[in-house]
Amino acid sequence: MALVLDSPEINRALKRIAHEIIERNKGIENVVLIGIPTRGALLSARLAKILAELEGSSIEHGTLDTTMYRDDLRGSAPRSLGRTEIPAGGIHDREVVLVDDVLFSGRTIRAALDALAEHGRPRSVQLAVLIDRGHRELPIRADFVGKNVPTNRAERVSVRLLEIDGNDEVRIEGRA
Amino acid sequence: MISHLLSISDLSKDEALNILDTAEELARVTETPVKKLPTLRGRTIVNLFFEDSTRTRISFEAAAKRLSADVINFSAKGSSLSKGESLKDTALTLQAMGADGVVIRHPASGAAARLASQKWMTGAVINAGDGTHEHPTQALLDAFTIRQHLKNSSGDLSDLSIAIVGDVLHSRVARSNVLLLSKLGAHVTLIAPPTLLPVAVNSWGVEVKYDFDENLDEYDVVMMLRVQRERMDEAFFPSEREYSRRFGLNGDRLSRLSEKSLVMHPGPMNRGLEISADSADSRKSVIVDQVKNGVSVRMATLYLLLGGN
Protein backbone atom coordinates (compact mmCIF):
# COMPACT_ATOMS: atom_id res chain seq x y z
CA MET A 1 0.00 0.00 0.00
CA ALA A 2 2.55 2.54 -1.14
CA LEU A 3 1.49 6.18 -0.73
CA VAL A 4 1.81 8.05 -4.04
CA LEU A 5 0.25 11.41 -3.19
CA ASP A 6 -0.93 12.84 0.12
CA SER A 7 -3.45 15.62 0.59
CA PRO A 8 -1.12 18.66 0.18
CA GLU A 9 0.50 16.98 -2.84
CA ILE A 10 -2.89 16.46 -4.50
CA ASN A 11 -3.68 20.15 -3.93
CA ARG A 12 -0.33 21.23 -5.37
CA ALA A 13 -0.79 18.97 -8.41
CA LEU A 14 -4.25 20.43 -9.08
CA LYS A 15 -2.92 23.99 -8.72
CA ARG A 16 -0.13 23.28 -11.18
CA ILE A 17 -2.61 21.71 -13.64
CA ALA A 18 -4.82 24.80 -13.26
CA HIS A 19 -1.85 27.06 -14.15
CA GLU A 20 -1.05 24.88 -17.15
CA ILE A 21 -4.67 25.03 -18.37
CA ILE A 22 -4.59 28.83 -18.16
CA GLU A 23 -1.24 28.97 -19.93
CA ARG A 24 -2.26 26.61 -22.73
CA ASN A 25 -5.60 28.33 -23.39
CA LYS A 26 -4.41 31.90 -22.73
CA GLY A 27 -6.96 32.38 -19.94
CA ILE A 28 -10.13 30.44 -19.19
CA GLU A 29 -12.65 32.50 -21.10
CA ASN A 30 -13.60 29.78 -23.59
CA VAL A 31 -12.67 26.80 -21.40
CA VAL A 32 -15.21 24.35 -20.02
CA LEU A 33 -14.29 21.53 -17.63
CA ILE A 34 -15.99 18.16 -18.02
CA GLY A 35 -15.35 15.61 -15.27
CA ILE A 36 -15.87 11.89 -15.66
CA PRO A 37 -17.87 10.40 -12.76
CA THR A 38 -17.24 9.65 -10.03
CA ARG A 39 -13.87 11.01 -8.94
CA GLY A 40 -13.05 12.83 -12.16
CA ALA A 41 -16.20 14.90 -11.61
CA LEU A 42 -15.07 15.81 -8.09
CA LEU A 43 -11.61 16.75 -9.34
CA SER A 44 -13.13 18.89 -12.08
CA ALA A 45 -15.21 20.79 -9.50
CA ARG A 46 -12.03 21.43 -7.48
CA LEU A 47 -10.15 22.56 -10.57
CA ALA A 48 -12.99 24.93 -11.46
CA LYS A 49 -12.74 26.49 -8.01
CA ILE A 50 -8.96 26.91 -8.28
CA LEU A 51 -9.22 28.36 -11.80
CA ALA A 52 -11.92 30.82 -10.75
CA GLU A 53 -9.74 32.01 -7.85
CA LEU A 54 -6.66 32.36 -10.03
CA GLU A 55 -8.38 34.23 -12.84
CA GLY A 56 -11.01 36.07 -10.83
CA SER A 57 -13.77 34.92 -13.14
CA SER A 58 -16.11 31.94 -13.07
CA ILE A 59 -15.68 28.87 -15.25
CA GLU A 60 -18.33 26.41 -16.36
CA HIS A 61 -17.93 22.78 -15.38
CA GLY A 62 -20.04 19.68 -15.88
CA THR A 63 -19.96 15.90 -15.86
CA LEU A 64 -20.10 13.26 -18.56
CA ASP A 65 -20.93 9.63 -17.91
CA THR A 66 -19.20 7.33 -20.36
CA THR A 67 -20.72 3.99 -19.36
CA MET A 68 -23.15 3.63 -22.24
CA TYR A 69 -20.34 4.32 -24.73
CA ARG A 70 -17.86 1.76 -23.41
CA ASP A 71 -16.66 -1.04 -25.68
CA ASP A 72 -15.93 -3.40 -22.79
CA LEU A 73 -19.38 -3.73 -21.22
CA ARG A 74 -19.80 -7.35 -22.27
CA GLY A 75 -18.13 -9.94 -20.11
CA SER A 76 -18.67 -8.16 -16.83
CA ALA A 77 -21.57 -7.27 -14.59
CA PRO A 78 -23.57 -4.24 -15.73
CA ARG A 79 -22.09 -1.00 -14.41
CA SER A 80 -24.33 1.49 -12.71
CA LEU A 81 -24.60 4.83 -14.45
CA GLY A 82 -23.11 8.15 -13.40
CA ARG A 83 -24.55 11.57 -13.96
CA THR A 84 -24.21 13.61 -17.14
CA GLU A 85 -24.60 17.36 -16.75
CA ILE A 86 -23.46 19.46 -19.67
CA PRO A 87 -23.16 23.15 -18.60
CA ALA A 88 -25.73 25.60 -19.91
CA GLY A 89 -23.25 27.15 -22.32
CA GLY A 90 -22.79 23.79 -24.03
CA ILE A 91 -19.52 22.55 -25.49
CA HIS A 92 -19.88 23.70 -29.07
CA ASP A 93 -16.80 25.63 -30.19
CA ARG A 94 -15.37 25.59 -26.64
CA GLU A 95 -12.03 24.38 -25.34
CA VAL A 96 -13.12 21.28 -23.44
CA VAL A 97 -10.87 19.90 -20.72
CA LEU A 98 -11.84 16.34 -19.78
CA VAL A 99 -10.90 15.53 -16.18
CA ASP A 100 -10.41 12.03 -14.77
CA ASP A 101 -8.63 10.59 -11.77
CA VAL A 102 -6.54 7.80 -13.34
CA LEU A 103 -5.47 7.31 -16.95
CA PHE A 104 -4.85 3.61 -17.64
CA SER A 105 -5.94 1.77 -20.81
CA GLY A 106 -7.43 4.91 -22.38
CA ARG A 107 -10.76 3.17 -23.00
CA THR A 108 -12.73 5.49 -20.72
CA ILE A 109 -11.36 8.49 -22.60
CA ARG A 110 -12.21 6.91 -25.96
CA ALA A 111 -15.77 6.41 -24.70
CA ALA A 112 -15.79 9.99 -23.38
CA LEU A 113 -14.79 11.33 -26.80
CA ASP A 114 -17.72 9.46 -28.37
CA ALA A 115 -20.12 10.67 -25.68
CA LEU A 116 -18.83 14.23 -26.03
CA ALA A 117 -19.37 14.22 -29.79
CA GLU A 118 -23.10 13.67 -29.19
CA HIS A 119 -23.30 17.01 -27.41
CA GLY A 120 -21.54 19.13 -30.00
CA ARG A 121 -18.25 19.87 -31.67
CA PRO A 122 -15.70 21.38 -29.28
CA ARG A 123 -12.93 23.56 -30.71
CA SER A 124 -10.49 21.29 -28.93
CA VAL A 125 -10.55 18.51 -26.36
CA GLN A 126 -7.77 18.35 -23.79
CA LEU A 127 -7.26 15.80 -21.06
CA ALA A 128 -6.28 16.39 -17.43
CA VAL A 129 -5.63 13.44 -15.10
CA LEU A 130 -4.40 13.22 -11.54
CA ILE A 131 -2.47 9.99 -12.16
CA ASP A 132 -1.08 8.55 -15.38
CA ARG A 133 -0.22 4.92 -14.68
CA GLY A 134 0.72 3.86 -18.23
CA HIS A 135 -0.34 0.66 -20.05
CA ARG A 136 -2.32 2.40 -22.78
CA GLU A 137 -4.28 0.19 -25.16
CA LEU A 138 -5.22 3.08 -27.45
CA PRO A 139 -3.34 6.04 -28.93
CA ILE A 140 -4.45 8.47 -26.21
CA ARG A 141 -2.30 10.75 -24.02
CA ALA A 142 -2.97 13.31 -21.33
CA ASP A 143 -2.25 17.05 -21.78
CA PHE A 144 -2.05 17.73 -18.04
CA VAL A 145 -0.78 15.13 -15.57
CA GLY A 146 -0.67 15.40 -11.78
CA LYS A 147 1.83 12.60 -11.44
CA ASN A 148 3.23 9.87 -13.68
CA VAL A 149 3.28 6.61 -11.73
CA PRO A 150 4.98 3.57 -13.24
CA THR A 151 2.92 0.50 -12.33
CA ASN A 152 2.50 -3.07 -13.40
CA ARG A 153 -0.87 -4.20 -14.69
CA ALA A 154 -1.76 -6.26 -11.64
CA GLU A 155 -1.51 -3.31 -9.28
CA ARG A 156 -4.45 -1.15 -8.41
CA VAL A 157 -4.28 2.61 -8.08
CA SER A 158 -6.67 3.78 -5.38
CA VAL A 159 -7.67 7.44 -5.39
CA ARG A 160 -9.49 8.65 -2.29
CA LEU A 161 -11.09 12.07 -2.21
CA LEU A 162 -12.34 13.99 0.79
CA GLU A 163 -15.83 14.58 -0.68
CA ILE A 164 -16.83 10.91 -0.75
CA ASP A 165 -14.03 8.91 0.87
CA GLY A 166 -13.34 11.09 3.92
CA ASN A 167 -9.70 11.84 3.11
CA ASP A 168 -7.41 12.80 0.23
CA GLU A 169 -4.76 10.32 -0.85
CA VAL A 170 -3.53 8.18 -3.73
CA ARG A 171 -2.09 4.73 -3.05
CA ILE A 172 -0.90 1.76 -5.06
CA GLU A 173 -2.32 -1.52 -3.85
CA GLY A 174 -1.06 -5.02 -4.56
CA ARG A 175 2.60 -4.01 -5.01
CA ALA A 176 4.87 -6.92 -4.19
CA MET B 1 -28.27 -8.79 -11.33
CA ILE B 2 -30.81 -11.32 -12.52
CA SER B 3 -30.52 -12.68 -16.08
CA HIS B 4 -34.24 -12.52 -16.99
CA LEU B 5 -37.05 -10.23 -15.88
CA LEU B 6 -40.00 -12.57 -15.37
CA SER B 7 -41.61 -11.42 -12.16
CA ILE B 8 -41.24 -8.64 -9.64
CA SER B 9 -40.84 -11.32 -6.98
CA ASP B 10 -37.45 -12.23 -8.51
CA LEU B 11 -36.12 -8.74 -7.75
CA SER B 12 -34.63 -7.65 -4.46
CA LYS B 13 -35.43 -4.14 -3.26
CA ASP B 14 -31.91 -3.03 -4.21
CA GLU B 15 -32.20 -4.51 -7.71
CA ALA B 16 -35.53 -2.76 -8.21
CA LEU B 17 -34.07 0.55 -7.03
CA ASN B 18 -31.06 0.02 -9.30
CA ILE B 19 -33.41 -0.29 -12.31
CA LEU B 20 -35.20 2.92 -11.25
CA ASP B 21 -31.92 4.80 -10.68
CA THR B 22 -30.55 3.65 -14.03
CA ALA B 23 -33.80 4.70 -15.72
CA GLU B 24 -33.50 8.11 -14.08
CA GLU B 25 -30.05 8.70 -15.57
CA LEU B 26 -31.21 7.42 -18.97
CA ALA B 27 -34.22 9.73 -18.84
CA ARG B 28 -31.87 12.66 -18.31
CA VAL B 29 -29.82 11.63 -21.33
CA THR B 30 -32.84 11.29 -23.58
CA GLU B 31 -34.00 14.77 -22.60
CA THR B 32 -30.91 16.20 -24.31
CA PRO B 33 -30.61 16.32 -28.10
CA VAL B 34 -28.92 12.90 -27.79
CA LYS B 35 -31.68 10.35 -28.05
CA LYS B 36 -29.54 7.47 -29.18
CA LEU B 37 -26.88 5.57 -27.25
CA PRO B 38 -24.55 3.01 -28.86
CA THR B 39 -24.68 0.58 -25.95
CA LEU B 40 -26.48 -2.39 -27.53
CA ARG B 41 -25.14 -1.97 -31.05
CA GLY B 42 -25.14 -5.30 -32.85
CA ARG B 43 -27.48 -6.99 -30.37
CA THR B 44 -30.84 -8.30 -31.56
CA ILE B 45 -34.03 -7.95 -29.54
CA VAL B 46 -37.18 -9.78 -30.59
CA ASN B 47 -40.60 -8.50 -29.61
CA LEU B 48 -42.63 -11.69 -29.44
CA PHE B 49 -46.29 -10.76 -29.07
CA PHE B 50 -48.87 -13.52 -28.88
CA GLU B 51 -51.44 -10.98 -27.75
CA ASP B 52 -52.30 -7.59 -29.17
CA SER B 53 -50.57 -4.70 -27.51
CA THR B 54 -49.64 -1.48 -29.17
CA ARG B 55 -48.25 0.66 -26.39
CA THR B 56 -46.08 -1.96 -24.69
CA ARG B 57 -44.64 -3.15 -27.99
CA ILE B 58 -43.78 0.31 -29.30
CA SER B 59 -42.40 1.30 -25.90
CA PHE B 60 -40.02 -1.67 -25.94
CA GLU B 61 -39.22 -0.98 -29.59
CA ALA B 62 -38.39 2.68 -28.87
CA ALA B 63 -36.27 1.65 -25.86
CA ALA B 64 -34.30 -0.94 -27.85
CA LYS B 65 -33.76 1.45 -30.75
CA ARG B 66 -32.53 4.24 -28.48
CA LEU B 67 -29.88 1.78 -27.30
CA SER B 68 -28.99 1.01 -30.95
CA ALA B 69 -30.18 -2.61 -30.81
CA ASP B 70 -31.74 -4.27 -33.84
CA VAL B 71 -35.42 -4.95 -33.27
CA ILE B 72 -37.48 -7.71 -34.83
CA ASN B 73 -41.22 -7.59 -34.26
CA PHE B 74 -42.92 -10.94 -34.26
CA SER B 75 -46.64 -10.85 -33.66
CA ALA B 76 -49.07 -13.70 -33.65
CA LYS B 77 -51.35 -12.44 -36.36
CA GLY B 78 -50.32 -13.44 -39.85
CA SER B 79 -47.26 -15.38 -38.67
CA SER B 80 -46.39 -19.01 -38.06
CA LEU B 81 -47.71 -18.49 -34.53
CA SER B 82 -51.25 -18.31 -35.88
CA LYS B 83 -50.56 -21.54 -37.75
CA GLY B 84 -50.18 -23.36 -34.45
CA GLU B 85 -46.41 -23.38 -34.00
CA SER B 86 -45.53 -24.26 -30.43
CA LEU B 87 -43.67 -21.95 -28.05
CA LYS B 88 -40.76 -24.38 -28.23
CA ASP B 89 -40.44 -24.24 -32.00
CA THR B 90 -40.71 -20.47 -31.91
CA ALA B 91 -37.95 -20.34 -29.30
CA LEU B 92 -35.71 -22.61 -31.36
CA THR B 93 -36.27 -20.34 -34.36
CA LEU B 94 -35.32 -17.28 -32.33
CA GLN B 95 -32.22 -19.05 -31.04
CA ALA B 96 -31.21 -19.94 -34.60
CA MET B 97 -31.63 -16.28 -35.59
CA GLY B 98 -29.36 -15.21 -32.74
CA ALA B 99 -31.77 -13.25 -30.57
CA ASP B 100 -29.93 -11.74 -27.59
CA GLY B 101 -33.14 -10.74 -25.85
CA VAL B 102 -36.79 -11.69 -26.19
CA VAL B 103 -39.65 -9.53 -24.99
CA ILE B 104 -42.65 -11.79 -24.67
CA ARG B 105 -46.36 -11.04 -24.26
CA HIS B 106 -48.53 -14.13 -23.99
CA PRO B 107 -52.14 -14.85 -22.93
CA ALA B 108 -51.02 -17.76 -20.74
CA SER B 109 -49.70 -17.07 -17.24
CA GLY B 110 -46.19 -18.47 -16.90
CA ALA B 111 -45.32 -18.38 -20.62
CA ALA B 112 -42.30 -16.12 -20.07
CA ALA B 113 -41.03 -18.30 -17.22
CA ARG B 114 -41.37 -21.38 -19.40
CA LEU B 115 -39.43 -19.74 -22.22
CA ALA B 116 -36.68 -18.77 -19.79
CA SER B 117 -36.44 -22.08 -17.95
CA GLN B 118 -36.48 -24.58 -20.82
CA LYS B 119 -33.00 -23.74 -22.23
CA TRP B 120 -34.47 -23.65 -25.73
CA MET B 121 -32.63 -20.38 -26.20
CA THR B 122 -29.79 -18.53 -24.52
CA GLY B 123 -31.07 -14.95 -24.72
CA ALA B 124 -32.51 -12.92 -21.87
CA VAL B 125 -36.29 -13.13 -21.48
CA ILE B 126 -38.35 -10.12 -20.48
CA ASN B 127 -41.94 -10.66 -19.47
CA ALA B 128 -44.14 -8.04 -21.13
CA GLY B 129 -47.31 -9.50 -19.65
CA ASP B 130 -48.28 -13.15 -19.20
CA GLY B 131 -51.98 -13.85 -18.80
CA THR B 132 -53.25 -12.56 -15.47
CA HIS B 133 -49.89 -13.18 -13.80
CA GLU B 134 -47.44 -10.27 -14.09
CA HIS B 135 -46.32 -7.28 -16.12
CA PRO B 136 -43.12 -6.27 -14.31
CA THR B 137 -41.98 -3.38 -16.51
CA GLN B 138 -45.38 -1.71 -16.09
CA ALA B 139 -44.98 -1.85 -12.32
CA LEU B 140 -41.46 -0.48 -12.59
CA LEU B 141 -42.59 2.45 -14.72
CA ASP B 142 -45.44 3.11 -12.29
CA ALA B 143 -43.02 3.13 -9.34
CA PHE B 144 -40.69 5.37 -11.34
CA THR B 145 -43.51 7.83 -12.05
CA ILE B 146 -44.61 7.88 -8.41
CA ARG B 147 -41.03 8.44 -7.26
CA GLN B 148 -40.57 11.22 -9.80
CA HIS B 149 -43.50 13.18 -8.36
CA LEU B 150 -43.43 12.22 -4.67
CA LYS B 151 -39.75 11.65 -3.99
CA ASN B 152 -38.70 11.20 -0.41
CA SER B 153 -35.20 11.38 1.02
CA SER B 154 -34.74 7.60 1.20
CA GLY B 155 -35.30 7.14 -2.55
CA ASP B 156 -37.99 4.50 -2.08
CA LEU B 157 -41.76 4.77 -1.61
CA SER B 158 -41.93 4.44 2.17
CA ASP B 159 -44.81 6.22 3.93
CA LEU B 160 -46.83 6.56 0.71
CA SER B 161 -50.41 5.32 0.65
CA ILE B 162 -51.39 3.90 -2.74
CA ALA B 163 -54.86 2.74 -3.80
CA ILE B 164 -55.24 0.31 -6.70
CA VAL B 165 -58.85 0.41 -7.83
CA GLY B 166 -60.92 -1.82 -10.08
CA ASP B 167 -60.49 -5.08 -11.95
CA VAL B 168 -57.75 -6.62 -9.79
CA LEU B 169 -58.82 -10.16 -10.72
CA HIS B 170 -57.77 -9.91 -14.37
CA SER B 171 -54.93 -7.47 -13.84
CA ARG B 172 -51.31 -8.52 -14.14
CA VAL B 173 -50.52 -4.83 -13.66
CA ALA B 174 -52.14 -4.91 -10.22
CA ARG B 175 -50.29 -8.07 -9.21
CA SER B 176 -46.88 -6.70 -10.24
CA ASN B 177 -47.63 -3.36 -8.62
CA VAL B 178 -48.70 -4.90 -5.32
CA LEU B 179 -45.41 -6.79 -5.18
CA LEU B 180 -43.21 -3.88 -6.22
CA LEU B 181 -44.86 -1.02 -4.35
CA SER B 182 -44.95 -3.06 -1.13
CA LYS B 183 -41.32 -4.02 -1.64
CA LEU B 184 -40.46 -0.33 -1.94
CA GLY B 185 -42.20 0.42 1.34
CA ALA B 186 -45.58 1.79 0.24
CA HIS B 187 -48.86 0.97 1.94
CA VAL B 188 -51.08 -0.57 -0.75
CA THR B 189 -54.87 -0.74 -0.61
CA LEU B 190 -56.88 -2.71 -3.17
CA ILE B 191 -60.37 -1.39 -3.83
CA ALA B 192 -62.74 -3.52 -5.92
CA PRO B 193 -66.05 -5.33 -5.89
CA PRO B 194 -65.57 -8.78 -4.30
CA THR B 195 -66.21 -10.43 -7.67
CA LEU B 196 -63.17 -8.72 -9.17
CA LEU B 197 -60.71 -9.76 -6.46
CA PRO B 198 -58.69 -12.99 -6.69
CA VAL B 199 -59.61 -15.74 -4.24
CA ALA B 200 -56.19 -15.65 -2.58
CA VAL B 201 -56.05 -11.88 -2.16
CA ASN B 202 -55.83 -12.27 1.64
CA SER B 203 -52.37 -13.78 1.20
CA TRP B 204 -51.08 -10.74 -0.72
CA GLY B 205 -50.41 -8.85 2.49
CA VAL B 206 -52.27 -5.71 1.47
CA GLU B 207 -55.38 -3.97 2.70
CA VAL B 208 -58.62 -4.71 0.83
CA LYS B 209 -61.65 -2.40 0.72
CA TYR B 210 -65.00 -2.52 -1.06
CA ASP B 211 -65.79 1.16 -0.59
CA PHE B 212 -63.89 3.66 -2.75
CA ASP B 213 -65.24 6.69 -0.87
CA GLU B 214 -63.93 5.74 2.56
CA ASN B 215 -60.94 7.93 3.54
CA LEU B 216 -60.49 8.97 -0.09
CA ASP B 217 -58.37 11.97 0.93
CA GLU B 218 -55.74 9.77 2.58
CA TYR B 219 -54.31 8.29 -0.63
CA ASP B 220 -51.17 9.77 -2.17
CA VAL B 221 -51.75 7.83 -5.37
CA VAL B 222 -54.93 6.48 -6.93
CA MET B 223 -54.19 3.92 -9.62
CA MET B 224 -57.21 3.04 -11.74
CA LEU B 225 -57.27 -0.32 -13.51
CA ARG B 226 -58.85 -0.98 -16.87
CA VAL B 227 -62.00 -3.07 -16.76
CA GLN B 228 -60.85 -5.95 -18.95
CA ARG B 229 -64.06 -6.67 -20.76
CA GLU B 230 -62.27 -8.97 -23.20
CA ARG B 231 -61.31 -11.32 -20.37
CA MET B 232 -64.81 -11.38 -18.89
CA ASP B 233 -67.10 -14.10 -20.16
CA GLU B 234 -69.69 -13.76 -17.41
CA ALA B 235 -71.22 -11.00 -15.36
CA PHE B 236 -68.79 -9.67 -12.76
CA PHE B 237 -70.93 -6.66 -11.91
CA PRO B 238 -74.59 -5.81 -12.52
CA SER B 239 -74.07 -3.01 -15.03
CA GLU B 240 -71.36 -0.72 -16.29
CA ARG B 241 -73.29 2.22 -14.89
CA GLU B 242 -73.30 0.76 -11.43
CA TYR B 243 -69.61 -0.14 -11.64
CA SER B 244 -68.77 3.37 -12.76
CA ARG B 245 -70.82 4.90 -9.98
CA ARG B 246 -69.25 2.81 -7.22
CA PHE B 247 -65.69 2.25 -8.45
CA GLY B 248 -65.08 4.84 -11.15
CA LEU B 249 -62.96 7.94 -10.63
CA ASN B 250 -65.37 10.76 -11.47
CA GLY B 251 -65.20 14.51 -11.00
CA ASP B 252 -66.71 14.36 -7.53
CA ARG B 253 -64.18 11.83 -6.23
CA LEU B 254 -61.37 13.68 -8.00
CA SER B 255 -62.26 16.84 -6.06
CA ARG B 256 -62.08 14.94 -2.77
CA LEU B 257 -58.54 13.64 -3.33
CA SER B 258 -55.78 15.32 -1.38
CA GLU B 259 -53.94 18.29 -2.87
CA LYS B 260 -50.72 16.53 -3.90
CA SER B 261 -52.18 13.17 -4.89
CA LEU B 262 -51.59 11.55 -8.27
CA VAL B 263 -54.03 9.85 -10.63
CA MET B 264 -52.61 6.95 -12.65
CA HIS B 265 -53.88 4.48 -15.23
CA PRO B 266 -51.86 1.85 -17.11
CA GLY B 267 -53.86 2.39 -20.31
CA PRO B 268 -55.65 1.88 -22.54
CA MET B 269 -58.45 3.70 -20.72
CA ASN B 270 -62.16 3.07 -20.89
CA ARG B 271 -63.10 6.71 -20.51
CA GLY B 272 -66.45 7.01 -18.80
CA LEU B 273 -66.22 3.55 -17.23
CA GLU B 274 -63.38 3.30 -14.68
CA ILE B 275 -62.19 6.88 -15.16
CA SER B 276 -64.02 10.01 -16.29
CA ALA B 277 -62.55 12.22 -18.99
CA ASP B 278 -62.06 15.16 -16.62
CA SER B 279 -60.14 12.92 -14.19
CA ALA B 280 -57.95 11.50 -16.95
CA ASP B 281 -57.12 14.98 -18.23
CA SER B 282 -56.84 16.69 -14.83
CA ARG B 283 -53.79 18.34 -13.31
CA LYS B 284 -53.38 15.37 -10.97
CA SER B 285 -53.20 12.91 -13.85
CA VAL B 286 -49.72 11.57 -14.66
CA ILE B 287 -50.94 9.12 -17.27
CA VAL B 288 -48.91 10.69 -20.08
CA ASP B 289 -45.80 10.68 -17.84
CA GLN B 290 -46.32 6.96 -17.33
CA VAL B 291 -46.06 6.37 -21.08
CA LYS B 292 -42.96 8.54 -21.38
CA ASN B 293 -41.27 6.93 -18.38
CA GLY B 294 -42.03 3.51 -19.81
CA VAL B 295 -39.36 4.01 -22.45
CA SER B 296 -36.70 4.99 -19.88
CA VAL B 297 -37.53 2.08 -17.58
CA ARG B 298 -37.42 -0.37 -20.49
CA MET B 299 -34.10 1.07 -21.64
CA ALA B 300 -32.75 0.50 -18.13
CA THR B 301 -34.09 -3.06 -18.11
CA LEU B 302 -32.56 -3.88 -21.49
CA TYR B 303 -29.25 -2.29 -20.52
CA LEU B 304 -29.03 -4.15 -17.20
CA LEU B 305 -30.00 -7.50 -18.74
CA LEU B 306 -28.06 -7.27 -22.01
CA GLY B 307 -25.40 -4.59 -21.44
CA GLY B 308 -23.02 -6.72 -19.40
CA ASN B 309 -22.09 -10.38 -19.77
Side-chain angles (χ1 to χ4, degrees):
Chain A
M1 292 272 284
L3 185 67
V4 177
L5 292 175
D6 62 14
S7 175
E9 286 170 331
I10 290 175
N11 285 332
R12 279 196 287 273
L14 289 176
K15 278 187 185 144
R16 179 174 49 73
I17 289 174
H19 281 287
E20 287 174 5
I21 289 172
I22 295 166
E23 189 181 13
R24 161 81 82 91
N25 296 287
K26 302 184 173 62
I28 55 169
E29 206 179 318
N30 199 32
V31 175
V32 53
L33 300 179
I34 300 288
I36 296 171
T38 310
R39 288 175 183 73
L42 299 173
L43 291 172
S44 120
R46 289 195 197 183
L47 267 178
K49 195 156 167 274
I50 298 169
L51 284 165
E53 278 167 12
L54 288 172
E55 290 291 277
S57 64
S58 68
I59 176 166
E60 284 197 312
H61 67 98
T63 61
L64 182 70
D65 183 53
T66 61
T67 311
M68 301 301 273
Y69 294 84
R70 297 192 72 91
D71 58 7
D72 53 2
L73 288 171
R74 293 175 83 158
S76 57
R79 295 161 172 256
S80 53
L81 305 188
R83 172 92 14 129
T84 295
E85 272 167 352
I86 300 297
I91 58 159
H92 187 74
D93 221 19
R94 311 281 292 272
E95 316 284 356
V96 172
V97 180
L98 286 173
V99 183
D100 204 359
D101 52 354
V102 179
L103 180 58
F104 184 18
S105 66
R107 288 185 188 270
T108 303
I109 302 305
R110 189 211 58 78
L113 291 171
D114 278 356
L116 204 56
E118 301 276 12
H119 294 274
R121 181 184 185 278
R123 180 173 298 173
S124 72
V125 182
Q126 300 158 29
L127 175 62
V129 297
L130 185 60
I131 301 291
D132 182 347
R133 61 169 294 188
H135 303 291
R136 216 77 73 239
E137 293 165 7
L138 295 167
I140 281 170
R141 61 163 178 76
D143 300 87
F144 314 105
V145 180
K147 186 170 180 148
N148 284 296
V149 182
T151 58
N152 73 43
R153 280 176 182 275
E155 289 164 348
R156 222 181 75 80
V157 175
S158 141
V159 175
R160 294 174 63 89
L161 295 176
L162 191 61
E163 293 89 330
I164 51 170
D165 305 309
N167 67 327
D168 273 355
E169 66 177 26
V170 180
R171 285 180 183 276
I172 294 184
E173 294 171 358
R175 177 161 284 186
Chain B
M1 185 66 193
I2 50 166
S3 48
H4 307 284
L5 182 61
L6 306 173
S7 159
I8 292 294
S9 51
D10 298 339
L11 291 174
S12 68
K13 182 180 176 183
D14 283 344
E15 284 171 332
L17 286 174
N18 185 32
I19 294 175
L20 300 187
D21 291 343
T22 304
E24 204 170 301
E25 294 305 330
L26 290 171
R28 295 166 60 89
V29 173
T30 48
E31 273 166 18
T32 67
V34 192
K35 284 228 165 49
K36 195 132 176 148
L37 295 162
T39 318
L40 297 183
R41 199 160 45 200
R43 321 291 301 270
T44 301
I45 292 165
V46 177
N47 282 328
L48 184 59
F49 279 66
F50 291 83
E51 216 181 44
D52 286 336
S53 158
T54 310
R55 61 184 62 219
T56 303
R57 186 181 57 73
I58 61 176
S59 182
F60 268 109
E61 185 168 352
K65 285 181 170 170
R66 284 188 191 171
L67 293 170
S68 304
D70 296 317
V71 180
I72 297 172
N73 288 311
F74 199 178
S75 61
K77 278 193 185 130
S79 71
S80 53
L81 302 179
S82 62
K83 296 174 189 160
E85 188 179 66
S86 69
L87 189 59
K88 178 178 180 179
D89 288 327
T90 306
L92 294 174
T93 307
L94 297 177
Q95 175 68 15
M97 288 194 303
D100 297 293
V102 175
V103 176
I104 178 172
R105 159 72 60 99
H106 199 285
S109 301
R114 182 159 172 79
L115 191 61
S117 64
Q118 290 296 321
K119 316 258 183 240
W120 295 325
M121 46 172 288
T122 53
V125 177
I126 297 172
N127 183 2
D130 58 332
T132 58
H133 176 227
E134 278 221 44
H135 190 357
T137 57
Q138 177 71 41
L140 287 162
L141 76 88
D142 288 337
F144 183 93
T145 307
I146 295 169
R147 200 171 76 144
Q148 186 177 46
H149 290 273
L150 303 172
K151 189 152 194 169
N152 65 22
S153 53
S154 54
D156 60 15
L157 305 181
S158 51
D159 303 328
L160 290 180
S161 172
I162 300 174
I164 301 178
V165 187
D167 185 0
V168 176
L169 178 64
H170 299 102
S171 178
R172 50 199 173 206
V173 174
R175 193 176 298 256
S176 289
N177 260 314
V178 164
L179 291 168
L180 182 63
L181 301 177
S182 307
K183 197 176 294 248
L184 296 179
H187 178 82
V188 180
T189 306
L190 296 174
I191 304 169
T195 50
L196 287 177
L197 285 167
V199 177
V201 71
N202 294 332
S203 67
W204 287 16
V206 295
E207 199 177 329
V208 176
K209 281 187 186 174
Y210 306 122
D211 181 1
F212 194 5
D213 292 300
E214 189 189 328
N215 299 330
L216 191 54
D217 59 339
E218 286 179 6
Y219 302 120
D220 299 295
V221 177
V222 174
M223 189 181 290
M224 305 306 298
L225 298 173
R226 187 169 66 89
V227 174
Q228 304 202 24
R229 282 182 283 204
E230 75 277 15
R231 291 187 207 277
M232 295 184 187
D233 46 11
E234 52 194 290
F236 285 89
F237 43 80
S239 72
E240 293 194 350
R241 225 175 108 197
E242 180 175 329
Y243 178 87
S244 179
R245 195 164 50 77
R246 291 193 57 199
F247 295 99
L249 184 60
N250 52 29
D252 170 49
R253 291 201 174 99
L254 182 73
S255 69
R256 282 187 280 139
L257 293 175
S258 73
E259 183 55 32
K260 283 189 172 166
S261 60
L262 307 177
V263 170
M264 304 178 75
H265 192 295
M269 289 183 273
N270 296 310
R271 284 181 184 241
L273 181 51
E274 71 267 4
I275 188 165
S276 67
D278 53 344
S279 303
D281 301 329
S282 78
R283 205 169 37 84
K284 292 182 181 303
S285 164
V286 293
I287 295 168
V288 178
D289 293 353
Q290 287 174 270
V291 176
K292 184 179 173 194
N293 293 336
V295 178
S296 304
V297 164
R298 289 174 177 125
M299 284 174 76
T301 305
L302 291 173
Y303 164 64
L304 291 170
L305 289 179
L306 299 173
N309 306 315

